[in-house]
Amino acid sequence: MRFPLLPHPVSFFSGGWRVRFRNGLKAAVKGKHVTFNILWLQAGSCGGCTMSAITAEDRGMLAALKAFGVNVLWHPALSVETGQEALAILDNVLSGDVVLDALCVEGSVMRGPAGTGKFQMMSGTDRSMAAWISDLAAVARYVVAVGTCSSFGGIPMAGGNHTDACGLQYEGEAPGGLLGRDFVSKGGLPVINVSGCAPHPDWITETLSLLATVGLGPDQLDVSGRPRFFADHLAHHGCSRNEYYEFKASASRVSLLGCLMEHLGCKATQAVGDCNLRSWNGSQGGCPDAGYPCIACTSPEFETPKGAFQETTKRAGIPVGLPVDMPKAWFMALAALSKSATPKRVQTNASSERVIVPPAREGDER
Amino acid sequence: MSRRIIGPFNRVEGDLEVSLDIHEGVVREAKVNASLYRGFEHILKGRPALDALSITPRICGICSVSQSVAASAAVADALGIKPEPNGVIATNLVHAAENLADHLTHFYLFFMPDFARPVYDGKAWFADAQRRFAANAGTGAKAWLEARARLLHVTGILAGKWPHTLAIQPGGLTQSPDDGALMRLRSVLADVRIFMEETLFGQPLERIAELDNRAAWDAAVENGHAAHADFAVFGAAARDLDLESLGRAYPRFMSFGAYHSEGGALFAPGTVEAGELAALDPASFSEDPSHAWLMGGVAHPLEGDTLPYADREGAYSWCKAPRAANQPMEVGAVARQLVAGQPLIRELIGDGAANVFARIVGRLVESARIVLAMERWVVELRSDAPMCAENGTVQEGVGTGLVEAARGSLGHWLRMEKGQIQHYQIIAPTTWNFSPRDGGGVPGPLEKALEGTVVGEDDATPATVQHIVRSFDPCMVCTVH
């Protein structure tokens, strides 16, 4: 188990941030910090971000965040208050009687039909969830979009987006969304997009712990507003199919051991996330390790791939989506070269569900 | 007569509003509003067949594996794919892990915190309930979240990621466990058993699984009490508050059968009406949008559509009214165990309706039975047998996927042409349980269960109503896919 008070890699922090981070951590340990109030709302969601969050650090988000002074004002799945009691909490936040440090929103904002927001009314009120989020975002120090739906719109935008779904500050790739491209919360940041469908639980807890201790600077967010501590990686980094990728020994169908990029739609070389550098529910990596492709769930518009999710879209036999920053010609040349050098072992195992040929030096007796 | 609207109704999955017409402190009529629409069936139209496996799990974050299993079964049915038996065992393990996680999450995080409310201050069991189940503070909830994370390692080891895995395919499972993985699975299950025997039940799981009458239940509660086990608090509160008299719906239950394999289902499919067991008849299903903000009329899920119409007169929910042979059905653990013939549940229900107490007991007994089954499956699972069959080349077909999610019967119906989805309809468990009225004005099971409930004159959020609603373990996000 990871030591709970040490968030993931901090090496990219500039000096000033590092000092503030260390001081924040000391304060957290000594209990000197003030309470950091979060309010969590579920917009047009499946609830999966919350379900992921409560597996965090093998003991759940709330326990993991306790050391950082995080106090949950209300959470739709976890709090005791219901109905009027819950609405009273929201009213206190809106009136300023209770300070809201972070508004966390899970799920897409449903603006339809015809701009009314009626596809999701906040239960017990005559107002749309969209209206509630707008008002609460205006009083929050930080606004955190938990998951790809609230970040970019996500799955409900697929199939022509007939619910007029969007993210808090994006509509797919396009800045805008519910709060608008120029939105900056009281704490001076745009919406912080902890994308992923569902995001890794630790991305959620580590983002909130950072906000509760040293804060996040604009340079700690990537071009799509995602915290760089996970978004500076590609999902490909640490993939257990690495050797098959190197030799372009490809699987012809899911479940086989070969690389999933050439035929099966794997977008791990294009999607951000340290997915394969972390453990997911006790596994050694994420999706490709379990035999199925990365579908780029941390990316805007992942819900509308060019072709089928489990099939690589090709033009003239060449995959359309190549590694993000690699010159195409070089990729093709290296792929051809490595294919011609593929060891028999790698080639055989790539088209099997289990290792058939174990590693051995030439001449070794089995 | 007064009307009370309760919302946001929390500690349920998703959005729920309950409207009560109250006369002299008693609920005369209840209306259940699922207040979110997302339109998954529309999203699926025109997509390549296998895209259903990426999209449908995202209907629900708490039962995404159930959605995966139903979608895979429907695609396999349509395209004539026969899954590898070893892959089926592994899939059942993943599915069982999720269902068990859901049952106990419901118990610890959603249902029991209501017994730690100040309204029960002074009850003999109150201090105990508060210590163990107070929201976000109870010792039981804390212990459960740790055990839950460990239990979900089953999903990590076999399916890579939870929620929303793509490991479950029409041909089986994409992950091939090696010998080490099999041992890790056994180790996880050993820890789960320890948690359930020491913290939850205070006695062997076999004893809970085999409870066969009310006296045995009472004895188990006594044992639990002596062992300082969490479930004994429920036993005491249930007796004291007479939860058996609360939340009676219809004497009609349904199960699609759970954990299917070559040898049949672990929990058999069927219906029970007024104590009489009968065979399941999916051809008799219909969905009625009379009181939903949707277009159209009554239709079988292979024919009906889901098109929003926010101005429909008389509508009060985004949820359709599903009916089996024109009748509302209660689904869930209690229905599953009743249909499967678990003796204690048979005795508690008799020829009548379920109630708050029986629903919780059904879930607890089933939880014990699930672990025993998982322990057998993990021994049967092989590290040297095929996991996933090929999809073949069939491009057309009609398919049905009927499975049991934690909350009850989940069905996917689809039609495929030229490798594309032409039609997709889903009926989720809570669609059955939290159905609105149908065209004939017949209320859904929860609406029926709330009728006659004593709520007092001025309590804005009566505890009785909360117990009843949460006893169903509703999953609204599935309901309003």
Side-chain angles (χ1 to χ4, degrees):
Chain A
M1 192 191 287
R2 224 167 288 122
F3 184 57
L5 286 177
L6 290 177
H8 209 55
V10 293
S11 52
F12 57 81
F13 280 2
S14 61
W17 279 97
R18 204 174 292 142
V19 171
R20 284 172 62 191
F21 178 82
R22 220 180 289 128
N23 291 344
L25 196 60
K26 270 187 208 156
V29 172
K30 286 182 184 163
K32 276 182 185 169
H33 58 291
V34 284
T35 300
F36 185 87
N37 285 335
I38 69 170
L39 173 67
W40 190 297
L41 294 180
Q42 288 176 331
S45 88
C46 72
C49 297
T50 289
M51 284 300 121
S52 175
I54 65 174
T55 61
E57 299 276 5
D58 274 1
R59 62 215 165 104
M61 173 174 72
L62 301 189
L65 290 176
K66 214 170 169 182
F68 296 94
V70 173
N71 171 51
V72 178
L73 295 172
W74 191 69
H75 185 295
L78 306 174
S79 295
V80 72
E81 297 87 357
T82 223
Q84 297 301 318
E85 311 155 337
L87 294 175
I89 295 171
L90 303 190
D91 286 342
N92 285 338
V93 167
L94 286 174
S95 68
D97 290 343
V98 172
V99 173
L100 177 58
D101 292 296
L103 172 68
C104 299
V105 180
E106 165 183 9
S108 322
V109 181
M110 302 305 201
R111 293 174 299 186
T116 62
K118 278 188 179 169
F119 282 136
Q120 190 186 23
M121 302 298 278
M122 167 84 95
S123 302
T125 75
D126 277 332
R127 301 189 70 215
S128 66
M129 186 60 86
W132 277 97
I133 294 170
S134 292
D135 289 355
L136 288 162
V139 300
R141 211 164 121 215
Y142 301 110
V143 178
V144 181
V146 182
T148 300
C149 288
S150 51
S151 296
F152 308 122
I155 285 277
M157 279 185 67
N161 194 13
H162 70 303
T163 53
D164 202 9
C166 66
L168 296 181
Q169 205 166 7
Y170 283 86
E171 186 170 342
E173 303 257 10
L178 176 72
L179 301 173
R181 67 182 303 153
D182 299 323
F183 173 83
V184 176
S185 70
K186 282 167 102 178
L189 284 183
V191 174
I192 300 154
N193 291 326
V194 186
S195 65
C197 188
H200 192 289
D202 298 349
W203 299 347
I204 304 168
T205 55
E206 286 161 23
T207 300
L208 291 172
S209 335
L210 277 165
L211 291 174
T213 52
V214 293
L216 270 168
D219 55 339
Q220 262 81 50
L221 300 177
D222 81 349
V223 290
S224 299
R226 296 170 291 211
R228 287 179 55 191
F229 69 83
F230 71 85
D232 274 358
H233 295 278
L234 289 169
H236 176 58
H237 297 168
C239 178
S240 60
R241 286 160 195 263
N242 164 5
E243 194 182 28
Y244 300 101
Y245 172 83
E246 284 169 11
F247 287 110
K248 297 290 162 287
S250 299
S252 58
R253 57 184 174 90
V254 291
S255 87
L256 303 182
L257 293 180
C259 176
L260 302 161
M261 179 195 164
E262 187 178 355
H263 303 305
L264 295 166
C266 187
K267 298 186 183 73
T269 56
Q270 302 154 55
V272 306
D274 56 7
C275 311
N276 282 302
L277 300 171
R278 293 185 186 248
S279 160
W280 290 80
N281 302 116
S283 70
Q284 283 64 54
C287 304
D289 185 65
Y292 55 90
C294 164
I295 60 170
C297 74
T298 56
S299 304
E301 300 181 13
F302 90 96
E303 68 278 1
T304 312
K306 289 192 180 79
F309 276 108
Q310 297 185 56
E311 222 175 278
T312 303
T313 306
K314 296 176 190 170
R315 208 166 290 143
I318 300 162
V320 170
L322 292 178
V324 269
D325 39 16
M326 193 164 179
K328 195 171 164 185
W330 271 110
F331 181 85
M332 297 311 299
L334 288 173
L337 190 64
S338 57
K339 262 196 178 182
S340 62
T342 309
K344 184 94 183 1
R345 168 180 61 84
V346 175
Q347 207 168 32
T348 309
N349 294 339
S351 49
S352 165
E353 286 186 344
R354 292 191 170 79
V355 171
I356 302 210
V357 184
R361 284 173 303 180
E362 220 171 310
D364 276 358
E365 294 284 334
R366 276 207 74 194
Chain B
M1 184 85 99
S2 66
R3 173 163 295 177
R4 218 174 286 170
I5 293 174
I6 306 178
F9 211 114
N10 78 325
R11 274 178 290 119
V12 301
E13 267 301 299
D15 296 69
L16 171 66
E17 182 178 278
V18 176
S19 160
L20 306 171
D21 281 344
I22 296 162
H23 183 65
E24 291 177 353
V26 176
V27 175
R28 180 170 279 183
E29 196 178 274
K31 283 183 178 166
V32 178
N33 170 12
S35 47
L36 165 69
Y37 173 81
R38 287 181 298 159
F40 271 79
E41 289 146 332
H42 184 89
I43 288 170
L44 286 157
K45 260 189 200 171
R47 306 280 295 227
L50 292 180
D51 276 11
L53 306 177
S54 289
I55 293 172
T56 58
R58 290 173 165 84
I59 288 170
C60 178
I62 197 161
C63 46
S64 69
V65 168
S66 291
Q67 298 287 353
S68 280
V69 175
S72 303
V75 172
D77 186 32
L79 303 184
I81 301 163
K82 197 174 170 307
E84 289 290 347
N86 205 42
V88 172
I89 295 172
T91 300
N92 281 340
L93 273 165
V94 175
H95 196 187
E98 180 181 88
N99 284 344
L100 178 61
D102 285 4
H103 278 356
L104 299 188
T105 298
H106 172 262
F107 183 77
Y108 278 107
L109 302 189
F110 300 161
F111 183 75
M112 288 306 290
D114 284 323
F115 296 87
R117 285 176 172 273
V119 64
Y120 292 128
D121 198 354
K123 295 284 185 188
W125 41 265
F126 179 70
D128 216 5
Q130 224 182 14
R131 189 169 58 78
R132 294 166 194 264
F133 300 113
N136 300 330
T139 54
K142 184 173 180 293
W144 161 240
L145 282 174
E146 288 169 11
R148 176 184 179 275
R150 182 84 173 122
L151 165 64
L152 287 171
H153 284 193
V154 172
T155 66
I157 292 166
L158 289 175
K161 168 175 177 275
W162 185 93
H164 306 335
T165 175
L166 192 44
I168 296 159
Q169 297 273 332
L173 195 86
T174 59
Q175 174 73 299
S176 304
D178 57 23
D179 290 330
L182 296 184
M183 291 305 113
R184 288 198 293 282
L185 289 170
R186 287 202 199 196
S187 163
V188 170
L189 292 181
D191 288 348
V192 170
R193 183 183 263 269
I194 289 169
F195 167 79
M196 289 174 72
E197 293 191 338
E198 290 184 356
T199 307
L200 175 58
F201 291 124
Q203 54 209 301
L205 289 182
E206 285 77 2
R207 195 159 178 162
I208 301 296
E210 289 157 13
L211 288 171
D212 54 1
N213 60 55
R214 199 181 294 261
W217 166 264
D218 289 338
V221 171
E222 286 313 310
N223 291 338
H225 191 70
H228 307 290
D230 289 334
F231 102 114
V233 180
F234 165 71
R239 200 177 315 157
D240 186 27
L241 301 172
D242 192 17
L243 295 184
E244 220 170 333
S245 68
L246 212 56
R248 291 181 171 267
Y250 297 104
R252 278 190 291 271
F253 304 87
M254 180 170 72
S255 166
F256 289 168
Y259 311 113
H260 298 271
S261 68
E262 275 188 320
L266 175 70
F267 304 136
T271 59
V272 169
E273 297 199 39
E276 291 297 318
L277 186 66
L280 189 68
D281 179 19
S284 78
F285 293 175
S286 60
E287 283 198 291
D288 182 344
S290 302
H291 292 276
W293 292 299
L294 300 168
M295 283 183 227
V298 182
H300 184 270
L302 266 178
E303 303 302 328
D305 210 336
T306 305
L307 295 166
Y309 177 34
D311 298 323
R312 182 162 188 150
E313 208 164 318
Y316 59 88
S317 178
W318 288 106
C319 177
K320 294 185 215 173
R323 298 290 183 261
N326 298 318
Q327 299 288 354
M329 287 286 181
E330 176 165 345
V331 298
V334 70
R336 207 153 43 226
Q337 292 306 316
L338 178 68
V339 170
Q342 206 285 336
L344 171 63
I345 301 302
R346 281 253 162 116
E347 180 174 318
L348 291 181
I349 303 296
D351 58 4
N355 53 69
V356 170
F357 174 68
R359 291 183 192 110
I360 306 304
V361 174
R363 231 168 257 125
L364 290 170
V365 169
E366 182 170 275
S367 297
R369 294 187 76 186
I370 289 174
V371 177
L372 301 183
M374 289 176 83
E375 289 175 346
R376 291 196 302 273
W377 295 334
V378 81
V379 172
E380 290 169 19
L381 184 63
R382 296 179 60 112
S383 60
D384 59 356
M387 295 298 294
C388 193
E390 288 190 47
N391 286 337
T393 54
V394 180
Q395 299 280 302
E396 321 253 329
V398 174
T400 305
L402 302 180
V403 305
E404 284 286 311
R407 293 161 184 78
S409 310
L410 168 67
H412 285 206
W413 286 263
L414 58 80
R415 196 174 63 243
M416 219 98 76
E417 284 166 25
K418 293 179 186 156
Q420 284 193 337
I421 297 163
Q422 291 304 314
H423 179 90
Y424 212 113
Q425 286 289 304
I426 298 160
I427 307 182
T430 308
T431 319
W432 290 99
N433 286 339
F434 283 26
S435 149
R437 281 156 171 71
D438 57 27
V442 177
L446 171 64
E447 294 181 333
K448 176 75 179 166
L450 286 167
E451 286 176 8
T453 304
V454 177
V455 292
E457 289 296 344
D458 49 7
D459 190 349
T461 49
T464 46
V465 171
Q466 304 204 45
H467 295 325
I468 294 170
V469 169
R470 295 199 180 97
S471 73
F472 285 91
D473 189 10
C475 180
M476 305 313 296
V477 297
C478 277
T479 310
V480 294
H481 46 271

